[in-house]
Amino acid sequence: MTELVNGRGLSLVPKTDTKQTLKDFKSDQEVRWCPGCGDYAILAAVQSFLPELGLKRENIVFVSGIGCSSRFPYYLNTYGFHSIHGRAPAIATGLAASRPDLSVWVITGDGDALSIGGNHLIHALRRNVNLNILLFNNRIYGLTKGQYSPTSEVGKITKSTPMGSLDKPFNPISLAIGAEASFVARTIDSDRKHLQSVLREATAHRGTSLVEIYQNCNIFNDNAFEQLKDPEIRDDITLRLEHGQPIVSASKAVVRAANGGIEVADRASVSADQIMVHDAHNPDPSLAFALSRLDEPAFEHVPIGVFRSIDRPAYDVLMAEQMEEAVAQKGPGDLSDLLLGGDTWRIG
Amino acid sequence: MTKQVQQLDRVIIRFAGDSGDGMQLTGDRFTAGTAEFGNDLSTLPNFPAEIRAPAGTLPGVSSFQLHFADHDILTPGDAPNVLVAMNPAALKANLGDLPRGADIIANIDEFTKRNLQKVGYAVNPLEDDSLSEWRVHAVALTSLTVKALEGFDLSKKDAERSKNMFALGLLSWLYHRPTEHTIKFLEQKFAKKPEIAKANIAAFQAGWNYGETTEAFSVSYEVKPAQLAPGVYRNISGNQALAYGLIAASVQSKLPLFLGSYPITPASDILHELSKHKRFGVRTFQAEDEIAGVGAALGAAFGGALGVTTTSGPGVALKAETVGLAVTTELPLLIVDVQRAGPSTGMPTKTEQTDLLMAMFGRNGESPVPIVAPMSPSDCFDAAIEAARIAVKYRTPVMLLSDGYLANGSEPWRLPEVSELPDISQEFTTAPNGDDGEFLPFKRDTDTLARPWAVPGTPGLEHRIGGIEKADGTGNISYDPDNHDLMVRTRAAKIAGIDVPDLEVDDADGDAKVLVLGWGSTYGPIAAAVRRIRRAGGKVAQAHLRHLNPLPANTGEILKSYDKVLLPEINLGQLALLLRARYLVDIISYNRVRGLPFKAEELAGVIQDVIDSD
């Protein structure tokens, strides 16, 4: 990881001298997700991770859209804004672009971010505003009670698709890489350690970080990610992405394919030097994109971790620089001078 | 040869040509010269939405009308005294507006068989008797320009392009306009292309000299400077004044300006203008769409900025949900709607007042929003400050309803003293307000009913807001029926209680029976019509609404104190609907929705009819 990526993540956000604990980040509101919802695990992971950042609590803001996951801000004792379906990235962009001293988080779901809010998501990613976007992907609409979502597999039988859904799902990682995202990662609700390690890297990254979190909806799409949790098989299908490390699971490895692409091979059948070493900082997104396609069609081998983390100036910094440059060129604005600018004439 | 000079008290000129002929620039420069000379003036640009419609066709005609006078005037004028027609299409498209006896200066070079055919002229109108009721000056503008530029290293096409400057030179001679500014302007505009600058200046001077020497023009005209109130003036369009007003509102509120906007005609110029003023701490964010524009502005407002979004009607439609969120989260936000002809895409470059009911009601649920409407291009400055004052003081989204006519029209503006601009600043909340030392984000100011504005970064006041109904005081999610009823009524009461100045009536003798009421951009034509009526000995009172929501407290009383109330609107009676419902007054509506401002003569006729009727 480059020094710049490490050093500038939240460098503009004031630090606290007070020691914080998980309790400091719990609000007084009763948490109202369905019992067993994966959101509880994510909330607990975030609440116990935040003290590690050592930021002034008042300089942290959680912005959400609409959906089950978007209730998240109410349960954190920070500033919070529960907004409109799909629009959280836009609202967070205005906030983060005008307040570089804030740590701004967007909490969203697969419907919120990829259906109604798809446009805002892709533009936030290409702009690279300093935001941490947590995309809770449960592959279903929960709050509206069980319709298929833009990440549901083809043929999904739901209330609105009794004969099976017809549309091809989005792969959020592929989408984000295609949208010029500078930081893209995937993790899972049930693995707190991994989730927090990804959050650690996401917050260290200055610019927009997109973290897809596989999240179980035990009411409408239970066990959607069961393979990744089943102790029998999870170590075989989970390909850990760690920068500088070979991309392997317990039994599999990612290697170059004969056609120039990449493929998953039996680990025992390939030599160590054939196994691809993960380079999250590669400016060329092709390999990260190829990695994101490995789990198509479904969960035979799933890369987990940081797909891509490159250093690119954050939008809010560039915006501030233009303002500073304007002042440097012409001095701070003076209202009288502004009004008197152009052709004027005097009467009387 | 000494030419005759005739004195006039006012003149209306319309420059018309193909979209590519540079008519807007020509009009702008003539306006600048006229402003510098000290006439009062008012302008009306009129151009197609297509950037380059097929050359020489009727849809491609672009025009710029300028009214200037030795006294104060209120409108760009009803009917031109002079039409400059750069091609047959420009003549055909504008002849209908031209009174008999007016001057036509036509570029004969463009009256070719092909160009005539394009617009359906079987015979060249400059050569038959069809224009005998007008004074036609057929001038070879193109070839004279090319000839004047023979010494320049320019292609014929480039030389021809300067014909608008030749026309400007000729008109500048004809009306004794100063020339220095135009020369300076051309030097600056083409600073990187000195040959083009010189060519344009040469064409401009050749046009002037042509007027001076040719026998085609035997008379030139003088319009003396106007006696306006003492002060420093500049010419300004509505969009520019509005942008300046937003910057002034930022300075006077001590809040950094954040503009979230998506390009749309006719509002884009506000985005363009504000993007030039970053040294005022102005952030301009060109969003991916209208929804993101207002969303970002609201996000910035949550962070303590003066959040603004600028758009036109179709954009307001898209922003409705976010405006509703601003209503319920009670954050300051300005929504600038530069109204244009609708519905849907409508006529993007034409003006209308048809978004009033959308501004009032165009959201789900009970979601009242204050509405402010400027009445002239320069008034957009003050209206922007007033809208910001309300937004910041009451923590509410505010609709500012400009329109295409104000946006692109211009007039001389007497510059305000910055020291006399109102202080519209409000303090952020920095300390807990609850009895037990807790922070209650929805505990209101008892006077204004505004809630505290505590921005992220303020320790101890961490709180959550959102679109779900909030409990009074704590702001916690609440589905309690009585709480919802209370919150709905409280939000309505807050808007209804906004302090707006009383409506003033101009009733010179105090004995008029008819009141003519207006709002927004119709002020100029209405006031000009009222003058006509009074000049002819008629009695009529006039009042103009700047605040449409809430209405001034004395509105009902004033409406009821006249026998008849006439309300002209460039819609089908939207304000009339509101006033009738609210005050049970039988308003007489006059409505035209042609994409154009009213004409003073037209309204004078309507007012006279109302006065005369029983």
Side-chain angles (χ1 to χ4, degrees):
Chain A
M1 192 170 286
T2 68
E3 190 186 344
L4 200 54
V5 171
N6 258 330
R8 286 176 54 185
L10 296 167
S11 57
L12 302 176
V13 183
K15 296 265 191 288
T16 181
D17 298 331
T18 317
K19 186 164 163 46
Q20 296 169 333
T21 64
L22 177 150
K23 223 178 128 197
D24 291 311
F25 289 94
K26 280 189 169 172
S27 77
D28 59 355
Q29 298 299 294
E30 182 196 351
V31 183
R32 286 188 202 161
W33 287 307
C34 307
C37 177
D39 288 352
Y40 284 98
I42 303 173
L43 177 64
V46 170
Q47 282 170 334
S48 65
F49 167 73
L50 287 173
E52 186 184 310
L53 293 174
L55 302 174
K56 288 195 169 172
R57 193 160 46 91
E58 62 269 23
N59 286 68
I60 301 174
V61 186
F62 280 80
V63 183
S64 63
I66 295 291
C68 295
S69 62
S70 288
R71 293 293 182 98
F72 207 86
Y74 289 113
Y75 308 136
L76 284 158
N77 192 14
T78 62
Y79 282 87
F81 200 159
H82 178 213
S83 72
I84 306 176
H85 204 17
R87 316 304 171 200
I91 288 169
T93 291
L95 180 63
S98 54
R99 292 287 305 273
D101 62 322
L102 301 178
S103 168
V104 182
W105 299 66
V106 171
I107 305 296
T108 183
D110 41 319
D112 193 53
L114 300 174
S115 263
I116 193 165
N119 197 36
H120 306 307
L121 179 73
I122 58 174
H123 288 276
L125 293 172
R126 79 177 167 89
R127 272 188 204 107
N128 205 32
V129 189
N130 195 32
L131 301 173
N132 304 310
I133 303 178
L134 308 188
L135 195 170
F136 297 16
N137 182 7
N138 55 19
R139 300 189 153 187
I140 200 76
Y141 279 81
L143 198 62
T144 51
K145 300 187 177 175
Q147 300 83 5
Y148 79 111
S149 94
T151 54
S152 297
E153 59 277 18
V154 177
K156 185 85 172 172
I157 293 181
T158 70
K159 272 181 197 152
S160 61
T161 51
M163 295 174 72
S165 62
L166 302 173
D167 21 349
K168 183 169 170 61
F170 268 136
N171 175 326
I173 303 291
S174 302
L175 183 84
I177 293 170
E180 304 291 345
S182 60
F183 184 101
V184 185
R186 173 188 289 149
T187 184
I188 184 160
D189 57 4
S190 55
D191 186 346
R192 178 182 293 197
K193 198 173 155 221
H194 188 264
L195 201 162
Q196 290 187 334
S197 77
V198 167
L199 294 184
R200 198 167 294 124
E201 291 200 53
T203 48
H205 176 78
R206 198 154 213 296
T208 306
S209 57
L210 179 97
V211 179
E212 179 191 22
I213 306 174
Y214 284 153
Q215 175 252 327
N216 193 47
C217 172
N218 57 322
I219 304 295
F220 296 108
N221 200 22
D222 198 17
N223 296 330
F225 309 102
E226 194 48 33
Q227 297 96 318
L228 294 168
K229 301 179 184 182
D230 181 352
E232 297 282 312
I233 57 169
R234 68 182 178 200
D235 291 343
D236 288 321
I237 68 167
T238 306
L239 294 161
R240 295 273 168 177
L241 298 177
E242 285 169 34
H243 180 70
Q245 299 297 316
I247 308 170
V248 293
S249 70
S251 59
K252 294 173 185 170
V254 176
V255 297
R256 280 278 177 197
N259 66 4
I262 60 173
E263 63 186 8
V264 179
D266 190 358
R267 195 169 168 180
S269 71
V270 295
S271 64
D273 60 349
Q274 284 178 288
I275 299 173
M276 284 189 55
V277 172
H278 184 46
D279 179 7
H281 307 324
N282 189 344
D284 180 350
S286 311
L287 280 171
F289 187 82
L291 286 169
S292 77
R293 311 305 289 176
L294 282 179
D295 62 343
E296 302 283 316
F299 295 134
E300 285 170 25
H301 23 257
V302 181
I304 291 279
V306 179
F307 286 72
R308 179 168 169 78
S309 171
I310 58 153
D311 195 22
R312 185 151 66 82
Y315 184 87
D316 52 292
V317 171
L318 296 175
M319 196 179 221
E321 280 175 1
Q322 282 196 344
M323 292 165 68
E324 284 164 20
E325 193 184 325
V327 172
Q329 281 175 3
K330 293 179 177 170
D334 179 278
L335 194 52
S336 289
D337 288 350
L338 174 72
L339 302 187
L340 283 166
D343 297 336
T344 59
W345 66 97
R346 180 174 286 282
I347 290 178
Chain B
M1 180 183 78
T2 313
K3 294 203 174 185
Q4 191 193 336
V5 176
Q6 198 177 319
Q7 299 293 325
L8 298 174
D9 63 348
R10 64 192 192 96
V11 177
I12 301 161
I13 300 177
R14 186 181 294 177
F15 296 94
D18 201 57
S19 300
D21 281 345
M23 289 299 96
Q24 301 305 321
L25 176 70
T26 310
D28 272 346
R29 290 328 301 164
F30 196 92
T31 302
T34 296
E36 184 200 354
F37 184 73
N39 295 125
D40 195 14
L41 65 88
S42 174
T43 68
L44 177 65
N46 192 354
F47 45 87
E50 296 80 8
I51 305 303
R52 292 278 188 280
T57 61
L58 288 171
V61 173
S62 167
S63 72
F64 187 102
Q65 184 165 310
L66 166 71
H67 181 191
F68 59 102
D70 66 1
H71 55 278
D72 72 311
I73 51 170
L74 298 155
T75 74
D78 291 354
N81 307 111
V82 187
L83 171 69
V84 178
M86 299 300 282
N87 65 9
L91 177 67
K92 188 153 196 178
N94 290 287
L95 194 62
D97 294 337
L98 217 58
R100 303 287 185 267
D103 287 281
I104 298 171
I105 298 172
N107 180 11
I108 194 168
D109 288 330
E110 292 292 323
F111 282 67
T112 59
K113 199 172 166 191
R114 192 158 167 271
N115 283 350
L116 290 164
Q117 273 172 355
K118 268 189 202 168
V119 292
Y121 277 125
V123 185
N124 186 345
L126 302 179
E127 288 170 358
D128 64 9
D129 285 339
S130 62
L131 300 178
S132 60
E133 289 176 83
W134 290 275
R135 292 194 294 184
V136 179
H137 311 267
V139 182
L141 289 171
T142 311
S143 48
L144 284 166
T145 305
V146 171
K147 203 156 175 238
L149 300 183
E150 263 170 1
F152 288 83
D153 181 21
L154 288 177
S155 67
K156 183 159 177 276
K157 210 175 158 197
D158 276 343
E160 284 180 356
R161 216 170 263 165
S162 299
K163 62 183 182 289
N164 63 330
M165 287 298 112
F166 188 97
L168 179 62
L170 174 58
L171 270 291
S172 296
W173 171 82
L174 195 58
Y175 291 99
H176 294 232
R177 302 290 97 179
T179 57
E180 299 77 11
H181 262 87
T182 294
I183 291 170
K184 210 161 105 191
F185 168 82
L186 290 170
E187 282 168 352
Q188 281 167 2
K189 181 175 167 71
F190 298 108
K192 285 178 187 158
K193 297 178 184 166
E195 191 70 5
I196 301 281
K198 278 186 214 156
N200 273 296
I201 293 165
F204 174 68
Q205 285 167 333
W208 175 283
N209 294 338
Y210 176 80
E212 182 77 15
T213 51
T214 182
E215 290 178 11
F217 294 91
S218 54
V219 186
S220 66
Y221 304 93
E222 253 183 15
V223 180
K224 291 250 156 54
Q227 293 303 311
L228 301 175
V232 177
Y233 285 76
R234 68 183 286 176
N235 192 55
I236 197 150
S237 72
N239 271 349
Q240 194 176 15
L242 207 151
Y244 284 6
L246 292 174
I247 294 173
S250 165
V251 173
Q252 298 304 105
S253 65
K254 302 185 181 75
L255 299 172
L257 183 64
F258 184 97
L259 175 72
S261 185
Y262 186 77
I264 184 170
T265 302
S268 301
D269 282 337
I270 304 172
L271 166 63
H272 304 162
E273 185 65 40
L274 286 172
S275 67
K276 294 182 208 163
H277 301 290
K278 300 188 196 306
R279 64 203 189 98
F280 283 86
V282 173
R283 285 181 170 82
T284 52
F285 171 66
Q286 183 175 316
E288 58 271 22
D289 59 28
E290 296 281 0
I291 297 170
V294 68
L298 184 61
F302 182 58
L306 181 63
V308 182
T309 189
T310 49
T311 188
S312 185
V316 177
L318 283 164
K319 294 175 197 296
E321 191 182 12
T322 309
V323 178
L325 180 64
V327 168
T328 196
T329 54
E330 304 190 42
L331 286 168
L333 179 69
L334 285 189
I335 304 101
V336 178
D337 177 4
V338 184
Q339 299 167 96
R340 72 185 209 192
S344 187
T345 303
M347 301 192 289
T349 57
K350 310 299 177 194
T351 197
E352 253 174 39
Q353 295 182 298
T354 41
D355 294 347
L356 176 60
L357 293 181
M358 175 166 67
M360 276 295 286
F361 303 120
R363 291 162 297 281
N364 63 304
E366 292 285 353
S367 48
V369 168
I371 304 169
V372 177
M375 66 183 197
S376 74
S378 66
D379 186 46
C380 289
F381 179 84
D382 297 308
I385 298 175
E386 171 65 358
R389 176 189 75 85
I390 293 171
V392 171
K393 180 172 177 184
Y394 294 90
R395 326 275 201 259
T396 175
V398 178
M399 287 273 183
L400 184 56
L401 288 185
S402 178
D403 62 31
Y405 168 59
L406 297 180
N408 292 318
S410 70
E411 64 179 355
W413 176 36
R414 189 159 70 97
L415 298 181
E417 288 293 338
V418 169
S419 59
E420 288 167 16
L421 294 177
D423 178 354
I424 58 170
S425 62
Q426 294 282 321
E427 298 291 323
F428 291 131
T429 300
T430 54
N433 57 356
D435 293 337
D436 301 321
E438 78 279 34
F439 177 55
L440 301 171
F442 283 81
K443 182 179 175 185
R444 298 166 187 283
D445 180 284
T446 48
D447 179 29
T448 62
L449 297 181
R451 75 175 189 92
W453 190 8
V455 301
T458 313
L461 305 191
E462 293 84 355
H463 65 283
R464 276 65 57 192
I465 57 171
I468 303 184
E469 185 60 283
K470 290 149 287 288
D472 186 34
T474 65
N476 292 334
I477 292 177
S478 170
Y479 289 89
D480 177 70
D482 288 334
N483 175 73
H484 179 54
D485 188 75
L486 172 71
M487 293 299 272
V488 166
R489 288 175 194 281
T490 306
R491 287 187 288 261
K494 181 178 83 167
I495 303 308
I498 290 170
D499 58 331
V500 303
D502 268 353
L503 181 62
E504 286 178 25
V505 182
D506 168 22
D507 187 355
D509 303 322
D511 56 355
K513 305 281 183 222
V514 174
L515 171 72
V516 55
L517 181 72
W519 69 276
S521 72
T522 53
Y523 173 78
I526 292 174
V530 165
R531 279 189 190 175
R532 287 181 190 218
I533 298 290
R534 289 178 183 165
R535 221 178 289 138
K539 306 256 185 207
V540 63
Q542 189 195 354
H544 207 74
L545 283 166
R546 173 192 204 69
H547 293 90
L548 285 311
N549 193 36
L551 290 158
N554 64 339
T555 305
E557 182 193 323
I558 285 172
L559 297 183
K560 287 170 185 164
S561 64
Y562 287 88
D563 290 356
K564 294 173 198 162
V565 179
L566 170 66
L567 175 50
E569 294 181 82
I570 306 177
N571 58 40
L572 293 184
Q574 298 194 4
L575 178 60
L577 180 78
L578 296 176
L579 296 178
R580 282 167 163 258
R582 172 90 186 262
Y583 301 110
L584 302 177
V585 170
D586 192 14
I587 307 275
I588 303 166
S589 273
Y590 177 74
N591 311 105
R592 285 289 179 277
V593 196
R594 304 171 60 241
L596 293 168
F598 288 123
K599 293 179 173 178
E601 185 183 7
E602 168 191 15
L603 290 184
V606 174
I607 296 169
Q608 193 60 54
D609 285 349
V610 171
I611 292 172
D612 293 344
S613 68
D614 291 322

